[in-house]
Amino acid sequence: MISITKKGLIGCKNSAIEELKGEFTKRQCIVLPQLLDNELLDKLISNIDDASFYERQHFAGNKIFATDLSVPSKNVALHQFNFLFNNTRLFRLIETITDLPGVRGFSGRIYRNLPGTSHFLDWHDDKSTPTRLIGLSINLSYQRYEGGTFQIRKKGDKKYLTEVGCTNPGDAHIFKVSHQLEHRVTEVTGNFPRTAGAGWFTSEPASLILKQ
């Protein structure tokens, strides 16, 4: 199991990486169970619990494709999230799994979808920013939500390449960002919200990168 810990990135065995490469080639998306270890996850979620969220709309051109509660850009939880994933060793691993070179940075956000509200995340391709190469989503919810399933497909195709739940805390998935692909997250139902970190491995460097 590949995991980000205080001591760095662990579990990067060649056999596991080859299996992930094959799955990514087929589905354009793979699951990375417990990508954040429990100690780092506890600290991040604790900071998220102290955060003040705000209502946010997301646009692709003139179309709103998502609404949610977002953590402000200067919040400590968001800085912690970006710090953990701006890791050059992680960049090289992502390049190997996806067979996509040129990862130089990571930029992310933290958001929450509440059940029984107007929050939604409809089909889009994430290419509003051309430097985005690979997307990432990680579950930052301790309470088990219902719904909130990630789906990815080729544009114009009704058949999904894959569907991902990732309802365990710290579970993540990565997916290819391309003009030929689109993805969405289904409505959150039940009694508990879905809190997630979403971000992109990019071809441009971030301001803070951890070298390991």
Side-chain angles (χ1 to χ4, degrees), residues 23 48 52 59 116 128 169 173 183 188 206-207:
E23 182 68 13
I48 292 172
S52 298
F59 291 84
S128 56
H173 61 273
H183 58 275
V188 177
S207 57

CSV table of all heavy atoms in Angstrom, one decimal, residues 23 48 52 59 116 128 169 173 183 188 206-207:
chain,number,residue,atom,x,y,z
A,23,GLU,N,-4.0,-0.8,-14.5
A,23,GLU,CA,-5.3,-0.4,-14.2
A,23,GLU,C,-5.6,1.1,-14.7
A,23,GLU,O,-6.7,1.4,-15.2
A,23,GLU,CB,-5.6,-0.5,-12.7
A,23,GLU,CG,-7.0,-0.1,-12.3
A,23,GLU,CD,-8.0,-1.1,-12.7
A,23,GLU,OE1,-7.7,-2.2,-13.2
A,23,GLU,OE2,-9.2,-0.7,-12.6
A,48,ILE,N,-9.5,21.0,9.5
A,48,ILE,CA,-10.7,21.2,8.7
A,48,ILE,C,-11.9,21.5,9.6
A,48,ILE,O,-12.7,22.3,9.4
A,48,ILE,CB,-10.9,20.0,7.8
A,48,ILE,CG1,-9.9,19.9,6.7
A,48,ILE,CG2,-12.3,20.1,7.1
A,48,ILE,CD1,-9.9,18.6,5.9
A,52,SER,N,-13.6,27.7,8.7
A,52,SER,CA,-14.9,28.4,8.3
A,52,SER,C,-15.1,28.2,6.8
A,52,SER,O,-14.3,28.8,6.0
A,52,SER,CB,-14.8,29.9,8.7
A,52,SER,OG,-14.7,30.0,10.1
A,59,PHE,N,-17.5,27.6,-12.2
A,59,PHE,CA,-17.9,27.9,-13.6
A,59,PHE,C,-17.0,27.2,-14.6
A,59,PHE,O,-15.8,27.2,-14.4
A,59,PHE,CB,-17.9,29.4,-13.8
A,59,PHE,CG,-19.0,30.1,-13.1
A,59,PHE,CD1,-18.8,30.5,-11.8
A,59,PHE,CD2,-20.2,30.4,-13.7
A,59,PHE,CE1,-19.7,31.2,-11.1
A,59,PHE,CE2,-21.2,31.1,-13.0
A,59,PHE,CZ,-20.9,31.5,-11.7
A,116,GLY,N,-29.1,16.9,1.1
A,116,GLY,CA,-30.4,17.6,1.2
A,116,GLY,C,-30.2,19.1,0.9
A,116,GLY,O,-31.1,19.9,1.3
A,128,SER,N,-10.0,23.8,-17.6
A,128,SER,CA,-10.1,25.3,-17.6
A,128,SER,C,-8.7,25.9,-17.3
A,128,SER,O,-8.4,27.0,-17.7
A,128,SER,CB,-11.1,25.8,-16.6
A,128,SER,OG,-10.8,25.2,-15.3
A,169,PRO,N,-11.9,7.0,5.3
A,169,PRO,CA,-11.1,8.1,5.5
A,169,PRO,C,-9.6,7.9,5.0
A,169,PRO,O,-9.0,6.9,5.3
A,169,PRO,CB,-11.1,8.3,7.0
A,169,PRO,CG,-12.3,7.6,7.5
A,169,PRO,CD,-12.5,6.5,6.5
A,173,HIS,N,-8.2,8.7,-5.0
A,173,HIS,CA,-8.1,8.2,-6.4
A,173,HIS,C,-7.5,9.3,-7.2
A,173,HIS,O,-7.6,10.5,-6.9
A,173,HIS,CB,-9.4,7.8,-6.9
A,173,HIS,CG,-10.5,8.8,-7.0
A,173,HIS,ND1,-11.3,9.1,-6.0
A,173,HIS,CD2,-10.8,9.6,-8.1
A,173,HIS,CE1,-12.2,10.1,-6.4
A,173,HIS,NE2,-11.9,10.4,-7.6
A,183,HIS,N,-15.7,14.1,-16.0
A,183,HIS,CA,-16.1,13.4,-14.7
A,183,HIS,C,-17.1,14.2,-13.9
A,183,HIS,O,-17.3,15.4,-14.1
A,183,HIS,CB,-14.8,13.1,-13.9
A,183,HIS,CG,-14.0,14.4,-13.5
A,183,HIS,ND1,-13.1,15.0,-14.4
A,183,HIS,CD2,-14.1,15.1,-12.4
A,183,HIS,CE1,-12.6,16.0,-13.8
A,183,HIS,NE2,-13.2,16.2,-12.6
A,188,VAL,N,-24.7,13.7,-2.9
A,188,VAL,CA,-24.6,13.1,-1.5
A,188,VAL,C,-25.9,13.0,-0.9
A,188,VAL,O,-26.7,13.9,-0.8
A,188,VAL,CB,-23.6,14.0,-0.7
A,188,VAL,CG1,-23.5,13.5,0.8
A,188,VAL,CG2,-22.3,14.1,-1.3
A,206,ALA,N,4.6,24.5,-7.9
A,206,ALA,CA,4.0,25.3,-6.9
A,206,ALA,C,5.0,26.1,-6.1
A,206,ALA,O,6.2,25.9,-6.3
A,206,ALA,CB,3.3,24.3,-5.9
A,207,SER,N,4.6,27.0,-5.3
A,207,SER,CA,5.5,27.9,-4.6
A,207,SER,C,6.3,27.1,-3.5
A,207,SER,O,7.3,27.5,-3.1
A,207,SER,CB,4.7,29.1,-3.9
A,207,SER,OG,3.7,28.6,-3.1
